Amino acid sequence: MNRFDYHFPVRVHFGQGCFEETLQQELTRYGNRVMLAYGGGSIRRTGLYDRLVTILHGAGKTVTDFGGIMPNPTLKKVQEGQQLAREIKADLILAVGGGSVSDCCKIVATGDTPIPLGVVVTASGTGSEQNNGAVITDEENKVKGAMWGVFADFAILDPDLTKTVPMKQVISGAFDTLSHCMETYFGRPDEVTLSDEINEAVQRNTIRNLRRIAQDSDDELARSELMWASAMGENGILKLGKVTDFQCHMIEHQLGAYTDCNHGQGLAVLHPTFYRHIYHSAEKKFDRWAQEVWLVQHAQQAIDALEDLINEVGLPTTLADMGITLADDTIKAIAASTVITPGCCKRLTPDEIEQILRECS
Ligand code: NZQ
Ligand code: ZN
């Protein structure tokens, strides 16, 4: 295991129905000017917006809206938020949404004097509220890439708030969680560590609950478990002592930069093909993964099982399923602009990434 330093600064409040009480408690810590950040409108449709404003006014806060944060948030949107936060001299940014709102606000809150940030998670999967990384799309330069911002001061994870998320997004979010675990597991070193053994448990749990929620969207235990698994995937615990892989994510991010596709769905299409390209370079680890996570003997069977799961829960298996047709020069551009990660067991070349994308078409 590699050496590490670990510090986790986020106060996490988890539990069904915990939202109002924990938010009220948290608000006592901050000044009066709150910038309320949210996405494209789901919080108004679900009535959450009104509940939030009532709580904020009840706590004596003035509220300024920063709405319209789109899935796959753009650099322009971040800049708009930064300007607004400065203008109103925000004492707290309250980000209410999924990974896109959280990511956008982590960068908005960054500055010479960082602004405190709280995240109310309404769609789980990314675990964005657990770390200080943010994935932002620079539309002009066609790059979807990681930026480093602030950690949230607090995060509220109330599974009840996710009940209105469209099922497609619930499934895609859960697959994203599984991907984060796998991409950490297959990083370096490839010897099995405590982090990997905890990781295997989180993967088994995510797979089981992904199946359960796909069968029954009213399964509250599955919904709660997936929300906590999402947090576990990105709160750093599984990454201790490891250099993560995240090569599949890098390909998906560039696919996203060119197509604005859904993140979890893009990963579902890419993962099996990507693993068929790399497993020979870490066959022992892939065999262990087969036995501990999928309860089969060999790597190839495990990759088949992963593909079966993707089919079973109704995720797309080809780019065509997602409505994406890539022109030849776009495939080349995506491959050429994909970051090659140091943690992957095989160093991919742009040619091989091109090949993977063609096989996924
Ligand atoms: O925008 P609104 O209207 O709110 O609708 C959203 C959005 O359309 C909807 N939604 C969220 N909560 C809802 C709801 N609809 C009904 N009821 C609710 N309670 O869900 C849609 C998707 O939301 P989004 O935040 O885009 O999804 P997700 O959480 O999957 O986030 C995706 C973004 O996170 C990045 C991805 O690349 C992508 O840009 N990631 C961030 C990571 C990180 N910071 O650690 C790690 C990930 O690997 C990922 O790359
Ligand atoms: Zn992801």
Side-chain angles (χ1 to χ4, degrees), residues 38-46 48 68-73 96-104 106 120-137 144-145 147-148 159-166 169-170 172-174 176-177 179-180 183 223 230 234 239 246 249-250 252-253 256 260-264 267:
Y38 51 90
S42 74
I43 74 164
R44 286 187 187 271
R45 287 194 299 278
T46 60
L48 181 57
I69 299 171
M70 62 293 279
N72 307 327
V96 184
S100 295
V101 174
S102 168
D103 277 6
C104 179
K106 283 190 277 185
V120 177
V121 180
T122 66
S124 70
T126 66
S128 160
E129 77 287 352
Q130 304 287 321
N131 59 49
N132 67 339
V135 185
I136 304 297
T137 300
K144 184 176 180 184
M147 295 176 79
W148 303 105
D160 279 351
L161 298 185
T162 70
K163 285 182 174 167
T164 51
V165 178
Q169 177 61 36
V170 172
S172 116
D176 188 24
T177 298
S179 170
H180 296 160
E183 298 241 62
R223 188 173 288 276
S230 155
E234 279 299 321
K239 300 182 185 184
F246 277 80
H249 263 69
M250 293 303 110
E252 195 286 330
H253 284 166
D260 197 27
C261 66
N262 177 280
H263 176 61
L267 290 168

Side-chain angles (χ1 to χ4, degrees), residues 178-190:
L178 180 61
S179 170
H180 296 160
C181 296
M182 296 190 297
E183 298 241 62
T184 300
Y185 189 75
F186 289 116
R188 294 178 196 274
D190 67 358

Side-chain angles (χ1 to χ4, degrees), residues 137-177:
T137 300
D138 175 350
E139 288 178 300
E140 269 169 40
N141 295 307
K142 290 257 181 256
V143 176
K144 184 176 180 184
M147 295 176 79
W148 303 105
V150 299
F151 276 95
D153 283 37
F154 67 90
I156 297 177
L157 282 70
D158 180 342
D160 279 351
L161 298 185
T162 70
K163 285 182 174 167
T164 51
V165 178
M167 215 37 210
K168 255 189 157 171
Q169 177 61 36
V170 172
I171 302 284
S172 116
F175 190 82
D176 188 24
T177 298

